[in-house]
Amino acid sequence: MTMVNMEDQIKMLVELQELDTEIYDKKRLLDAIPERIKELDNSLEEKSINLKNLEEESKKLQVKRKEKETDLASKEETIKKYKTQLFQIKTNKEYTALEKEISSIKADNSVLEDEIIVLLDGVDEIKEKVSKEKEILEHEKGKVQDEKKKMEDEKKINEAEFNDLNNKRKEFVQKLDKNILSKYERILHNRDGLAMVPVIGGSCGGCNMNLPPQVINEAKLKKECIFCGNCARILYIEV
Ligand SMILES: [Zn+2]
């Protein structure tokens, strides 16, 4: 087995980490796209449910108004009928009773008329709301469609870049020692895409823990892979 030049390996690992950081960033970006699309769909869904509810409310009010109008019309008919009956009545007592009945129905009708006016106002108000909401929804639909198109384009571009980066990586790792590479990749996988970290001011650049001087010295020597005692990432000295 040929001797591995550790200094070269570490230098290449640092380069590989740069590449992997780009790959992980791309992957995160790509993974987030379906969620972003779902959010857009959800906001549209919410708005159309609101609109449906408003339309339902509007229908209910109109049914109520119709009922009251029918009621009013039939009561008006009754009054007409009673008024003709007035002429055929023989006794004073009967006459007074029927007149009383008529004025009682008239009072009912006056209440009904007020209620119908309130309902008409309510229907107008809700119709206006419905048409406004419809307009907003249409506008939103257009916006969401544009956003989705943008995201699809973004996805395609990023997928292509992701593939390019991976191809570049495949070629690059050929140069690395298999054992060192497998150690690196294990850490990369376990530490969410960050395996190589510089020593910064005596601390680990990955987890910020203070490093013993002995560990820093060993990292400076570049004779073997030196790991952070806390996060187990591979330490290197920046030049
Ligand atoms: Zn660390």
Side-chain angles (χ1 to χ4, degrees):
M1 200 178 149
T2 49
M3 269 294 284
V4 174
N5 181 330
M6 208 52 208
E7 195 170 342
D8 281 352
Q9 292 290 312
I10 289 171
K11 223 172 127 189
M12 283 192 280
L13 283 180
V14 172
E15 256 182 82
L16 180 60
Q17 176 66 70
E18 278 172 21
L19 197 55
D20 278 331
T21 299
E22 269 189 84
I23 290 172
Y24 267 77
D25 285 348
K26 260 318 146 213
K27 175 99 175 37
R28 282 185 199 107
L29 210 133
L30 283 168
D31 286 349
I33 287 177
E35 193 55 39
R36 282 162 68 200
I37 289 178
K38 210 174 134 197
E39 267 171 36
L40 285 174
D41 284 339
N42 284 348
S43 85
L44 266 192
E45 176 72 15
E46 213 175 285
K47 284 199 173 70
S48 38
I49 288 172
N50 278 346
L51 180 60
K52 251 183 216 152
N53 288 341
L54 271 179
E55 283 173 332
E56 276 302 309
E57 211 180 310
S58 167
K59 259 185 217 156
K60 271 186 202 157
L61 278 185
Q62 290 185 69
V63 167
K64 226 174 175 182
R65 193 208 67 200
K66 274 239 170 74
E67 280 171 2
K68 296 220 183 259
E69 279 173 348
T70 311
D71 193 14
L72 180 67
S74 104
K75 284 193 160 89
E76 301 275 14
E77 267 317 299
T78 310
I79 291 173
K80 257 190 215 161
K81 202 176 74 193
Y82 284 177
K83 274 182 174 167
T84 46
Q85 282 174 10
L86 277 178
F87 298 108
Q88 293 144 13
I89 282 170
K90 307 278 187 298
T91 71
N92 227 347
K93 199 179 162 195
E94 274 176 324
Y95 191 91
T96 315
L98 196 53
E99 257 197 332
K100 207 177 155 195
E101 182 62 28
I102 290 171
S103 58
S104 153
I105 299 174
K106 274 186 178 166
D108 284 353
N109 282 359
S110 150
V111 171
L112 271 175
E113 277 164 357
D114 288 346
E115 284 173 348
I116 288 167
I117 288 171
V118 171
L119 282 171
L120 279 173
D121 284 347
V123 167
D124 281 350
E125 207 176 297
I126 220 161
K127 270 184 179 167
E128 204 176 306
K129 261 194 217 165
V130 165
S131 84
K132 250 186 210 159
E133 286 296 318
K134 264 187 187 160
E135 217 175 282
I136 291 171
L137 186 63
E138 282 313 305
H139 181 72
E140 282 295 310
K141 271 184 189 165
K143 250 171 65 179
V144 164
Q145 229 163 26
D146 290 349
E147 278 291 309
K148 274 188 179 174
K149 172 84 180 61
K150 251 191 244 165
M151 272 186 220
E152 288 301 327
D153 292 346
E154 197 185 307
K155 192 178 158 196
K156 269 181 211 147
I157 292 167
N158 279 295
E159 269 168 355
E161 285 173 355
F162 183 72
N163 290 335
D164 285 348
L165 285 167
N166 272 307
N167 288 335
K168 208 167 147 189
R169 185 185 200 277
K170 251 181 226 158
E171 214 176 292
F172 188 86
V173 293
Q174 311 269 326
K175 294 186 270 181
L176 274 152
D177 173 80
K178 292 228 170 344
N179 284 331
I180 294 172
L181 179 64
S182 99
K183 266 184 208 163
Y184 164 89
E185 284 182 335
R186 204 171 51 238
I187 303 166
L188 189 77
H189 179 76
N190 291 336
R191 292 281 174 241
D192 204 25
L194 187 63
M196 292 297 291
V197 289
V199 174
I200 301 169
S203 300
C204 166
C207 68
N208 292 324
M209 275 291 273
N210 260 327
L211 298 163
Q214 171 69 16
V215 169
I216 297 173
N217 284 335
E218 279 169 353
K220 275 180 186 160
L221 285 175
K222 295 170 188 170
K223 292 272 178 254
E224 54 186 325
C225 280
I226 304 300
F227 304 95
C228 167
N230 183 51
C231 71
R233 291 185 174 99
I234 304 168
L235 297 162
Y236 68 92
I237 307 292
E238 272 180 317
V239 281

